[in-house]
Amino acid sequence: MIKEKKVEVDAIIGVPVGFINVLESKEALLATDLPVMVNEGRKGGSTLVVAIINAIIYQMQTIVTEDYVRYSTALNDKKG
């Protein structure tokens, strides 16, 4: 879908649960020009993805525009 320009992505988190060809799938992700995050081995799944996304969100700063706050965490104050 990315090659066909059907979707645009900023990055890919590839931490699937061990299944057939999981290691090959992760290697294929690493071979792309996209920013990717993969784990080593066969462990993975939705719990790991949520932990990664939460860690990313907690590191982001609040972005305030005229009509909304795009990213915010409890650590950030609303500015504007």
Side-chain angles (χ1 to χ4, degrees), residues 7-43:
V7 296
E8 291 183 32
V9 298
D10 292 323
I12 296 176
I13 300 172
V15 290
V17 175
F19 60 89
I20 298 172
N21 296 327
V22 68
L23 298 177
E24 293 83 358
S25 297
K26 292 176 185 181
E27 289 171 5
L29 273 176
L30 290 169
T32 68
D33 292 333
L34 296 167
V36 299
M37 179 178 291
V38 299
N39 62 325
E40 293 184 11
R42 298 186 180 277
K43 304 256 180 179

Side-chain angles (χ1 to χ4, degrees), residues 23-75:
L23 298 177
E24 293 83 358
S25 297
K26 292 176 185 181
E27 289 171 5
L29 273 176
L30 290 169
T32 68
D33 292 333
L34 296 167
V36 299
M37 179 178 291
V38 299
N39 62 325
E40 293 184 11
R42 298 186 180 277
K43 304 256 180 179
S46 59
T47 304
L48 186 54
V49 172
V50 170
I52 291 168
I53 291 173
N54 280 335
I56 292 168
I57 289 171
Y58 289 134
Q59 295 300 314
M60 299 175 98
Q61 294 183 5
T62 303
I63 299 172
V64 179
T65 64
E66 291 179 12
D67 56 345
Y68 70 99
V69 176
R70 193 162 67 176
Y71 303 112
S72 64
T73 68
L75 301 176

